[in-house]
Amino acid sequence: IAGITQAPTSQILAAGRRMTLRCTQDMRHNAMYWYRQDLGLGLRLIHYSNTAGTTGKGEVPDGYSVSRANTDDFPLTLASAVPSQTSVYFCASSRDRGTEAFFGQGTRLTVV
Amino acid sequence: GQSLEQPSEVTAVEGAIVQINCTYQTSGFYGLSWYQQHDGGAPTFLSYNALDGLEETGRFSSFLSRSDSYGYLLLQELQMKDSASYFCAVKGGSARQLTFGSGTQLTVLP
């Protein structure tokens, strides 16, 4: 693994199903983030974690949950997917909160 | 909360200079960043300004005026590969998180 890795790269999901997007980084960064990107709306912060064991809510947290059990992993869970959660999801990490962020390649999620 | 405004589209010709402006509002300001994103790709970091003035990195420069809540990204000697979306992002608020603007789509014409 080099940098930050997301899985899956794309997914089609039936509405109402549960889904976990995976994110792993090997840079020993303290802070990690989940953003969603929708056309014309830029990147919107869903949840963040400044250090392992802590998480916080971003701009659009409803319908999503995260955990940060260790430094490397920061999974994002959709408990019951809805079509409005169709988006491209980016995981990112940075050495410390608010510093230069490194992004994964994204997960394209379609909820039908 | 934080909010940012930047133009949605900019078009320029190869070899030219283009400036992408960004104005922001934030309850606490720590810095302004710029990111580049090509279609289908991930955002990549370009520059960061925490203090007033100009930061230069090769063909790209970024400027900040904290008193005006304003910054810009200057791209010189434009190349076709510079066609991409450019996002400004403010580090601010009590959580000191990055909030992104909606992005500026730069098209470089031959």
Side-chain angles (χ1 to χ4, degrees):
Chain A
I1 297 177
I4 186 163
T5 303
Q6 293 183 233
T9 55
S10 66
Q11 181 76 45
I12 299 174
L13 185 67
R17 297 297 296 269
R18 179 184 179 92
M19 174 79 188
T20 294
L21 308 184
R22 300 184 298 279
C23 176
T24 299
Q25 54 101 0
D26 64 355
M27 297 175 282
R28 308 304 295 172
H29 283 171
N30 289 317
M32 297 188 75
Y33 318 88
W34 276 104
Y35 290 88
R36 61 176 288 174
Q37 186 172 34
D38 304 290
L39 192 63
L41 294 177
L43 292 149
R44 293 184 292 169
L45 183 64
I46 305 171
H47 285 287
Y48 64 90
S49 169
N50 290 329
T51 61
T54 70
T55 62
K57 294 182 179 180
E59 181 185 0
V60 288
D62 294 343
Y64 307 95
S65 63
V66 292
S67 61
R68 186 86 183 276
N70 56 60
T71 297
D72 298 345
D73 302 300
F74 191 44
L76 176 74
T77 297
L78 290 70
S80 179
V82 295
S84 61
Q85 292 178 311
T86 293
S87 188
V88 179
Y89 291 84
F90 285 101
C91 179
S93 71
S94 63
R95 180 173 52 82
D96 294 297
R97 56 180 176 173
T99 57
E100 175 186 350
F102 293 82
F103 284 79
Q105 287 304 305
T107 294
R108 185 174 297 275
L109 180 67
T110 304
V111 182
V112 298
Chain B
Q2 288 75 248
S3 66
L4 300 97
E5 287 193 17
Q6 53 181 126
S8 58
E9 296 178 340
V10 172
T11 301
V13 297
E14 204 171 8
I17 299 172
V18 71
Q19 178 174 313
I20 300 174
N21 298 320
C22 175
T23 58
Y24 60 85
Q25 289 185 321
T26 179
S27 55
F29 177 83
Y30 296 92
L32 187 71
S33 305
W34 290 91
Y35 288 78
Q36 178 192 59
Q37 184 181 30
H38 287 99
D39 281 349
T44 57
F45 173 82
L46 290 177
S47 69
Y48 175 74
N49 296 69
L51 302 175
D52 291 350
L54 193 68
E55 294 282 342
E56 298 181 69
T57 306
R59 294 187 297 115
F60 293 2
S61 303
S62 58
F63 172 82
L64 175 66
S65 170
R66 289 175 294 171
S67 60
D68 295 322
S69 298
Y70 163 76
Y72 66 72
L73 179 70
L74 190 73
L75 297 84
Q76 303 181 71
E77 301 173 16
L78 280 175
Q79 302 175 8
M80 299 296 290
K81 67 178 181 179
D82 297 329
S83 291
S85 290
Y86 292 85
F87 296 88
C88 57
V90 67
K91 173 183 174 181
S94 58
R96 301 190 192 184
Q97 295 303 326
L98 280 177
T99 299
F100 284 79
S102 298
T104 298
Q105 177 67 49
L106 171 64
T107 301
V108 180
L109 302 175

